[in-house]
Amino acid sequence: MTKIGFIGLGIMGEGMVNCLLKDGVAGTPETPLLVWNRTTSKCDNLKTSHPDKTIEIKSSAKEVVSNSDIVFSMLSTPEASAAGFNDAT
């Protein structure tokens, strides 16, 4: 099993995640998608809009990184990156 992590579900991140899910790259039982976003409702909306996909919402960027084999990060600003990763060490 390969776990795919995605951090940041803004305009660009959401589009990228939707492509990964649509193309079957992530979101299957064999390749679950682990997500985190500072605005948790975006994670909830993603999971709700793809009820047939295997999506796990994590409580922090650190949790996504720690539990994924491959991680994508799409954060908009240095401040957003600091908010997500300063405690990730």
Side-chain angles (χ1 to χ4, degrees):
M1 175 184 324
T2 301
K3 295 182 178 182
I4 309 292
F6 208 99
I7 298 166
L9 298 174
I11 294 169
M12 189 175 291
E14 183 178 15
M16 293 176 75
V17 162
N18 282 320
C19 285
L20 292 173
L21 293 169
K22 175 182 63 98
D23 293 342
V25 174
T28 68
E30 296 79 26
T31 56
L33 179 67
L34 286 61
V35 297
W36 175 81
N37 194 74
R38 290 183 297 162
T39 306
T40 56
S41 62
K42 290 194 173 208
C43 295
D44 296 330
N45 292 342
L46 179 72
K47 190 167 182 169
T48 300
S49 66
H50 297 282
D52 59 326
K53 300 296 183 181
T54 305
I55 300 171
E56 299 176 23
I57 299 171
K58 299 300 181 184
S59 61
S60 68
K62 180 179 182 176
E63 191 177 0
V64 171
V65 172
S66 297
N67 291 286
S68 299
D69 300 297
I70 300 168
V71 178
F72 296 91
S73 176
M74 191 57 57
L75 299 170
S76 60
T77 64
E79 295 79 17
S81 293
F85 289 108
N86 275 348
D87 68 343
T89 56

